[in-house]
Amino acid sequence: MTDPPRVLILGGGFGGVGAARKLAKADADIVLVDSHDYHTFQPMLYQVATDLLSDDEVAHPLRDLFHDQPNVAVHEATATSLDLDARVVEFDDMAPIEFDYLVLALGAQVNFFGVEGAADHAFPMYTLADAVRLKEHVLGRWEAADRDPALVADGALSIVVVGGGPTGVESVGALSELYRSDFSKDYPSLPIDRASLTLVEAGPVLFSMFEPELQAYASETLSGYGVELLLDEVVAAVSPSRVTLKSGRELKAHTLVWGAGLQASPLAATADVDLERGGRIPVGPELATLEHPDVYAVGDIAWITDSDTGEALPQLGSVALQSGERAGENIARRIAGQAQEAFSYHDKGTMATIGPGAAVIQFPRGRTMKGRTASLAWGAVHLALLSTGEDRTKAMLNWAWAGFTHERSSRIVIDLEDE
Ligand SMILES: Cc1cc2nc3c(=O)[nH]c(=O)nc-3n(C[C@H](O)[C@H](O)[C@H](O)COP(=O)(O)OP(=O)(O)OC[C@H]3O[C@@H](n4cnc5c(N)ncnc54)[C@H](O)[C@@H]3O)c2cc1C
């Protein structure tokens, strides 16, 4: 063990940042490495994709988050392999780093489940780059149709969203608002009624994790926005202009948004541990991996069982933050010669938004909330979760502007290659 011990944290999402913050007072050198120089607030990515917020309002410089924590060094590099026995991690463009304690907080990434053409033509919604790419593609299709209206009949303005969970529902709801509030005015010569929005879900209901009352509310709300709901349907193939369903139906759409599945970071597979469903790393009650007591896994990459129910906890920001904090605290306790404490998830409720003034919340003992009150609560909770007061102020200003004027400020594309 080095003196002071080195704690290597891989990933600067909710889990990694939570762990690093809880080590603020520890006598340790903390090294936090992320492939980006920013922390992404994933729950609001759909607002970037639909021009409500700009990219720097949902991402925050990682270095800035640790100005007041001198025991943390931040590096931008991509981890490429883990050797847990030798206690060393390799990176793509940086010398290997040895560790005394390791926190794996690398999150999850999109899973296309091998659907033909999806990796090349679908637009996932899991990273900041994904959100910006989708925004620019949709704007590009409207501009293309403006130049050549014949493209409308080919589905240039139509979007298929896959996945009836929160990511898919939030995305299609926000896209419908963008179409109705902004594009109808931006492109008065284009027939907005022929710009179809379709949500495809493999199961029989939307929001399968919520109570039936909230599922019905989500379906009614989206139908009210004019979104076509295709339940019990599965996407079989994707091309740049067509989406083919397993039932044989073909949809003309130049955009397919993928909100249908996640898998743990592929780095988990290099860890030489037995993985659980979705490639997640199983951990014990203190969040250390079963084979390596000095290696912790938190957030989306980890398979954490609920201490009350024995079920695996969902891949949520609140689970990632709380588990990251517990892992950080446990490492700090070990360094101080104290006993570790078991992780216990404090479930404050699960929420999702559908559109303006429409959201759902399910509280732990079955109580539910929906509509405008739930939407206000969603806004308050998500504002509070943003990294800094500056981010919160910027987001509030943009929401207020969009709420009063029904206009969004960031619907432009800057093509750096053309300049
Ligand atoms: C569109 C969307 C909406 C969501 N909405 C909600 C919501 O409303 N409420 C909620 O509770 N949860 C929501 N979630 C889930 C929540 O965002 C995640 O559960 C949470 O971000 C997981 O945190 P994490 O720290 O485990 O991983 P992440 O936040 O994904 O962070 C992982 C970090 O690791 C870095 N990384 C990955 N690979 C490497 C590598 N090889 N080397 C170095 N760095 C690497 C990444 O750059 C990233 O910064 C949503 C997720 C998405 C995608």
Side-chain angles (χ1 to χ4, degrees), residues 35 37 57 60 67 147 153 192 251 255 297 319 324 354 360:
S35 34
D37 60 357
E57 282 155 329
H60 197 92
H67 279 172
R147 292 188 297 271
I192 188 114
L251 305 168
T255 310
V319 176
I354 304 165
V360 296

Side-chain angles (χ1 to χ4, degrees), residues 115-123 137 154-155 158 160 235-245 250-257:
V115 168
E116 187 190 326
D120 293 326
H121 307 299
F123 288 83
H137 172 78
D154 191 51
S158 296
V160 174
V235 171
V238 190
S239 78
S241 59
R242 299 288 180 272
V243 177
T244 310
L245 304 179
E250 190 180 72
L251 305 168
K252 288 183 181 176
H254 287 202
T255 310
L256 176 100
V257 181

Side-chain angles (χ1 to χ4, degrees), residues 125-182:
M125 266 294 288
Y126 295 107
T127 67
L128 189 56
D130 289 342
V132 173
R133 225 175 272 131
L134 174 62
K135 162 189 154 154
E136 295 187 349
H137 172 78
V138 171
L139 281 168
R141 290 294 75 205
W142 280 78
E143 290 297 340
D146 180 61
R147 292 188 297 271
D148 176 8
L151 284 173
V152 175
D154 191 51
L157 310 182
S158 296
I159 300 181
V160 174
V161 178
V162 194
T167 301
V169 170
E170 285 174 352
S171 301
V172 80
L175 284 163
S176 90
E177 169 69 1
L178 173 70
Y179 273 27
R180 283 177 289 135
S181 67
D182 291 86

Side-chain angles (χ1 to χ4, degrees), residues 87-406:
R87 294 168 173 267
V88 66
V89 175
E90 297 199 342
F91 299 89
D92 61 346
D93 201 15
M94 185 170 74
I97 298 182
E98 294 182 0
F99 61 83
D100 297 300
Y101 297 97
L102 176 66
V103 180
L104 296 170
L106 293 158
Q109 64 178 42
V110 62
N111 187 351
F112 291 117
F113 300 107
V115 168
E116 187 190 326
D120 293 326
H121 307 299
F123 288 83
M125 266 294 288
Y126 295 107
T127 67
L128 189 56
D130 289 342
V132 173
R133 225 175 272 131
L134 174 62
K135 162 189 154 154
E136 295 187 349
H137 172 78
V138 171
L139 281 168
R141 290 294 75 205
W142 280 78
E143 290 297 340
D146 180 61
R147 292 188 297 271
D148 176 8
L151 284 173
V152 175
D154 191 51
L157 310 182
S158 296
I159 300 181
V160 174
V161 178
V162 194
T167 301
V169 170
E170 285 174 352
S171 301
V172 80
L175 284 163
S176 90
E177 169 69 1
L178 173 70
Y179 273 27
R180 283 177 289 135
S181 67
D182 291 86
F183 286 177
S184 58
K185 287 180 274 175
D186 284 349
Y187 303 94
S189 62
L190 289 178
I192 188 114
D193 52 320
R194 294 179 64 196
S196 70
L197 293 172
T198 306
L199 182 62
V200 179
E201 160 58 38
V205 291
L206 303 181
F207 279 167
S208 60
M209 68 293 289
F210 290 120
E211 294 285 327
E213 177 208 355
L214 302 184
Q215 296 169 351
Y217 175 70
S219 296
E220 281 160 24
T221 308
L222 287 182
S223 299
Y225 296 162
V227 174
E228 183 187 14
L229 303 180
L230 298 180
L231 303 176
D232 289 316
E233 281 278 18
V234 175
V235 171
V238 190
S239 78
S241 59
R242 299 288 180 272
V243 177
T244 310
L245 304 179
K246 278 224 169 96
S247 62
R249 184 169 165 191
E250 190 180 72
L251 305 168
K252 288 183 181 176
H254 287 202
T255 310
L256 176 100
V257 181
W258 192 271
L262 282 178
Q263 58 191 343
S265 158
L267 219 66
T270 74
D272 196 21
V273 295
D274 288 332
L275 300 179
E276 271 288 355
R277 216 169 50 233
R280 290 156 79 183
I281 300 174
V283 291
E286 286 93 17
L287 303 177
T289 56
L290 307 179
E291 296 87 344
H292 301 273
D294 299 333
V295 177
Y296 293 73
V298 300
D300 282 3
I301 198 175
W303 180 271
I304 306 171
T305 46
D306 189 309
S307 49
D308 295 330
T309 64
E311 303 277 316
L313 290 171
Q315 288 163 300
L316 286 175
S318 46
V319 176
L321 182 63
Q322 290 180 35
S323 60
E325 289 180 344
R326 169 49 53 210
E329 269 168 9
N330 276 345
I331 295 170
R333 292 179 73 84
R334 287 179 67 185
I335 292 169
Q338 296 165 341
Q340 302 189 74
E341 288 180 4
F343 175 60
S344 169
Y345 175 55
H346 183 35
D347 182 3
K348 298 174 192 153
T350 310
M351 46 178 66
T353 181
I354 304 165
V360 296
I361 307 181
Q362 187 160 306
F363 295 99
R365 273 176 215 84
R367 200 162 66 82
T368 59
M369 189 191 279
K370 60 182 190 297
R372 191 162 291 280
T373 327
S375 182
L376 288 172
W378 182 95
V381 166
H382 285 77
L383 273 181
L385 282 171
L386 280 170
S387 299
T388 63
E390 182 194 343
D391 293 345
R392 284 189 275 280
T393 309
K394 285 194 281 188
M396 263 189 315
L397 283 174
N398 266 331
W399 289 352
W401 179 257
F404 284 123
T405 64
H406 296 283

